[in-house]
Amino acid sequence: MAIRQKARLGDVLVQAGAITQGQLDQALLLHRQKGIQIGQALLELKFVTEEKLTASLSKQIGVPYVDLTEIRLDSNAVKKVQEKVARMHKLIPIKIKDGKLQVAMANPLDLLAVDEAIIQAGMDVELFIATERDVDHAIQEYYGVAASIQAAVKSIGAEDRKKDQVRASVQSRGSNALDASDAPVARLVEMILKQALDDNASDIHIEPTETEVSIRYRIDGVLFQATSSPKSVESALISRVKVLANLDIAESRSPQDGAFSAKFEEREIEFRVSTCPTVYGENMVLRILDRSKIMLSLEDLGLVGPYLKKLEGLLRKPYGVILVTGPTGSGKTTTLYAAMSLLNTPEKNIKTIEDPVEYRLPGVRQTQVNPKANITFANGLRSLMRQDPDIIMVGEIRDSETGEIAVQAALTGHLVFSTLHTNDAAGAITRLDDLGIEPFLLASSIVGILAQRLVRKICPHCKTQHEPSEAELNTLFPRGNAPTFSLYKGEGCKSCKKSGYSGRMGIFEILEITDPIRELILKKSPPMVLRDAARKTQKMKVLRQDGFSKVLSGQTTLAEIDRVTTA
């Protein structure tokens, strides 16, 4: 074991010059007030970064630093220490070398933790220091869900070998019911779902291939490979999810849709399940809806400054249609929920017709589209009109009938929200005209159109500054005269799965329907003419311009803006 002397972390950092004595005194006060560790207090006060804290400790106490993101841990070494001990003391075994257990710790000065590791392992330990963040991620990876998924797969394989004769009998009758109810399969599904939640995924893709079953998660709008399972697990895995979603496990040739709910750590999560046959088997996608995580603040969505003021001005209109446009998955419904939450007061009667109702909003009366009960967008909207509403939200305008009723509702004194699938704000007018809604109705009813996209934010844990390249300068300032500035990017770390991004935000353009725009709508002017007029008369900024401003403010990258918009 490398260390036995007792040393206080604060004193070590002061001696190393990482902090001043005055900063240490402030941290000690916070330490006593909150009962947190001194290192955590220093981090909360932002006197040091976690990397600086770790580097200073490593140099001062002579314990070598290890980057856990760059190495693969020995599973036999990990088994030497129980998970609860690793989590309690923020430590993770690395490997066994020369009869010693190499252990990475966030705080090697914790002698109690060192002694506990020695007792657990039954051998002496060699200490290394790592950031607490990296230790937490390693614990999650090697003790947590990812490891449990592989263990569950192996368990299924063992069960298969024990039940060969029984399975042969079941398969001869054309049933997979036994597979769907097996405990190892249930554990595997639970682990897949939990891993997705821990990774903040929005979708789970279960994709059979020729030789295996691939599990991918969509995180911040991009798919990542999570794990894979043997082809032999495919039938049991698909059947288990079908049972949960109340789908027909005997039907594999036709698409099916279903849903189920599950509770994870006191969070009620809804999973929407869709199956589709492919040449290698049934492909399955699970959409994750976590009601506890919906963002209901327009600022949180990325609407700030002039954009926020303009949208709030539109929301104060007593009547009219406000449209939110963009492709599937661009956050349109979340924006509408945020707007309704802003307007949701006891004096307002807010009604919605949605397909599906993604989140429940207190105080808002929400109706689910149900074609079997003859509740379509058009029929539901007619019914809502008889419910004395002040504000109506229509999930999507898909046909001329729904569009005409929405327009009539606005003309009779209601504020109407809805969505459309168009590439920009001006294109919404053309889309509604294509649906057969008369230009004079559009000009007199629509008050504003918001177009949006979602871009990934730079990971705060690995965010670095760099000088812009010539190509980036030409893109951001095509007319030259660029000021002196720096750009930012994510280097890629364990927190962001080496992607350099963590979380998403919106980029926007807002087209306000003013008198000059109304005249162009009556003339059936094309979207390009409407957009140019809006840029001249109301200084409208298009999606890319809002994206560029967020690149310059260090929130995202130019590559992200190029990914979701066109020049």
Side-chain angles (χ1 to χ4, degrees):
M1 187 178 64
I3 299 178
R4 292 307 300 175
Q5 72 268 23
K6 179 79 171 177
R8 293 191 301 178
L9 175 60
D11 294 336
V12 169
L13 291 169
V14 171
Q15 292 171 13
I19 60 172
T20 66
Q21 185 61 48
Q23 290 174 327
L24 174 59
D25 292 339
Q26 292 183 52
L28 287 170
L29 179 61
L30 184 62
H31 156 71
R32 289 191 291 269
Q33 289 175 342
K34 289 190 172 183
I36 59 177
Q37 293 181 348
I38 188 66
Q40 184 61 40
L42 288 165
L43 291 173
E44 279 196 23
L45 292 169
K46 297 183 178 179
F47 290 155
V48 293
T49 63
E50 192 169 0
E51 288 73 19
K52 190 173 183 179
L53 182 71
T54 306
S56 297
L57 269 173
S58 175
K59 183 177 180 180
Q60 185 70 13
I61 64 181
V63 175
Y65 169 78
V66 61
D67 186 350
L68 294 176
T69 66
E70 299 296 332
I71 62 173
R72 188 72 188 169
L73 306 189
D74 183 350
S75 59
N76 292 324
V78 173
K79 292 175 184 177
K80 289 287 185 180
V81 178
Q82 294 179 5
E83 179 182 354
K84 64 179 181 180
V85 174
R87 291 187 183 278
M88 181 188 304
H89 296 299
K90 301 289 184 182
L91 60 87
I92 184 77
I94 301 173
K95 65 179 179 180
I96 300 172
K97 184 177 181 181
D98 299 331
K100 292 183 179 181
L101 180 67
Q102 294 184 344
V103 176
M105 300 181 63
N107 181 13
L109 299 175
D110 187 345
L111 301 182
L112 178 63
V114 175
D115 290 337
E116 185 74 25
I118 292 173
I119 294 170
Q120 283 271 308
M123 62 177 68
D124 203 0
V125 301
E126 182 181 357
L127 294 180
F128 291 81
I129 189 169
T131 65
E132 184 174 337
R133 182 176 66 250
D134 286 349
V135 171
D136 285 339
H137 279 294
I139 290 172
Q140 182 63 24
E141 180 176 355
Y142 289 92
Y143 288 109
V145 176
S148 298
I149 288 176
Q150 294 304 321
V153 169
K154 291 179 182 178
S155 178
I156 293 171
E159 290 292 320
D160 284 344
R161 288 190 293 273
K162 291 177 183 178
K163 298 179 179 179
D164 278 343
Q165 291 184 343
V166 178
R167 291 188 188 279
S169 174
V170 172
Q171 289 171 359
S172 69
R173 297 194 298 270
S175 170
N176 290 317
L178 178 63
D179 293 308
S181 62
D182 278 347
V185 180
R187 287 198 301 272
L188 173 59
V189 171
E190 182 182 355
M191 291 301 102
I192 290 172
L193 300 183
K194 190 174 188 306
Q195 179 73 66
L197 293 173
D198 288 344
D199 289 346
N200 292 316
S202 60
D203 300 86
I204 303 170
H205 290 244
I206 302 175
E207 302 168 326
T209 67
E210 186 176 6
T211 58
E212 63 181 12
V213 180
S214 172
I215 311 295
R216 294 197 293 171
Y217 298 148
R218 187 174 293 279
I219 303 172
D220 295 334
V222 178
L223 280 170
F224 289 90
Q225 181 73 32
T227 186
S228 60
S229 299
K231 188 72 173 176
S232 59
V233 176
E234 176 188 333
S235 177
L237 178 59
I238 296 294
S239 294
R240 175 61 184 172
V241 179
K242 281 186 173 182
V243 168
L244 292 173
N246 198 27
L247 300 178
D248 185 356
I249 64 172
E251 178 57 71
S252 61
R253 295 171 296 178
S254 299
Q256 296 186 67
D257 294 292
F260 66 94
S261 296
K263 183 171 284 189
F264 290 88
E265 299 176 354
E266 304 305 317
R267 294 155 58 196
E268 190 71 28
I269 310 296
E270 184 175 348
F271 298 89
R272 298 218 172 100
V273 182
S274 172
T275 70
C276 185
T278 70
V279 292
Y280 293 124
E282 280 187 281
N283 201 83
M284 181 174 280
V285 177
L286 290 78
R287 168 63 58 90
I288 302 172
L289 295 176
D290 184 355
R291 297 190 181 97
S292 67
K293 285 194 172 182
I294 184 171
M295 294 188 300
L296 295 180
S297 164
L298 292 171
E299 292 92 334
D300 288 340
L301 298 175
L303 274 160
V304 294
Y307 292 90
L308 180 60
K309 290 181 181 179
K310 183 172 283 192
L311 181 59
E312 288 178 338
L314 294 175
L315 295 177
R316 285 193 291 269
K317 301 279 187 182
Y319 55 84
V321 177
I322 297 176
L323 297 171
V324 181
T325 75
T328 300
S330 59
K332 300 186 296 296
T333 301
T334 302
T335 299
L336 288 181
Y337 282 162
M340 287 190 293
S341 296
L342 188 67
L343 300 174
N344 189 13
T345 63
E347 295 81 24
K348 298 288 186 182
N349 182 19
I350 304 177
K351 301 280 190 179
T352 77
I353 176 74
E354 306 172 59
D355 183 26
V357 176
E358 294 193 5
Y359 298 97
R360 275 65 169 177
L361 298 180
V364 176
R365 271 58 63 184
Q366 298 170 269
T367 301
Q368 168 75 49
V369 166
N370 184 359
K372 293 181 180 178
N374 200 30
I375 302 177
T376 61
F377 275 119
N379 291 340
L381 187 52
R382 285 195 191 91
S383 299
L384 295 187
M385 291 289 291
R386 297 190 288 270
Q387 293 282 308
D388 187 31
D390 297 297
I391 299 170
I392 299 172
M393 193 273 268
V394 183
E396 181 184 351
I397 295 178
R398 296 177 179 174
D399 51 55
S400 59
E401 187 179 11
T402 304
E404 288 173 358
I405 299 171
V407 166
Q408 293 297 335
L411 294 175
T412 53
H414 302 87
L415 188 60
V416 180
F417 298 148
S418 192
T419 70
L420 275 175
H421 288 90
T422 62
N423 291 326
D424 58 12
I429 301 296
T430 303
R431 171 65 177 150
L432 292 173
D433 182 50
D434 290 342
L435 289 177
I437 302 174
E438 293 294 338
F440 74 90
L441 292 175
L442 298 177
S444 56
S445 62
I446 299 177
V447 296
I449 305 169
L450 171 72
Q452 67 179 68
R453 298 288 189 279
L454 290 178
V455 296
R456 293 179 292 173
K457 297 189 290 186
I458 298 172
C459 174
H461 299 298
C462 59
K463 184 176 181 178
T464 59
Q465 188 175 348
H466 69 95
E467 294 302 312
S469 66
E470 185 175 348
E472 289 172 327
L473 284 172
N474 292 335
T475 300
L476 293 168
F477 297 94
R479 298 178 182 177
N481 299 322
T484 301
F485 68 98
S486 295
L487 296 178
Y488 295 85
K489 65 179 180 180
E491 290 289 348
C493 64
K494 199 79 170 182
S495 297
C496 60
K497 294 186 176 298
K498 301 292 183 180
S499 69
Y501 300 97
S502 179
R504 287 190 291 177
M505 66 188 307
I507 58 173
F508 306 91
E509 68 181 37
I510 301 179
L511 172 62
E512 190 173 1
I513 308 303
T514 57
D515 287 341
I517 301 299
R518 288 191 181 93
E519 292 179 7
L520 293 174
I521 293 174
L522 291 171
K523 296 176 182 177
K524 291 193 172 186
S525 300
M528 186 179 298
V529 175
L530 294 173
R531 183 169 58 249
D532 290 343
R535 297 177 75 170
K536 291 178 182 177
T537 61
Q538 54 189 260
K539 296 181 179 180
M540 182 187 82
K541 291 185 178 181
V542 297
L543 286 164
R544 280 181 70 83
Q545 288 176 300
D546 186 33
F548 290 164
S549 68
K550 286 167 180 172
V551 170
L552 293 171
S553 65
Q555 298 178 78
T556 188
T557 65
L558 197 54
E560 267 300 282
I561 305 304
D562 288 337
R563 185 177 68 86
V564 300
T565 65
T566 56

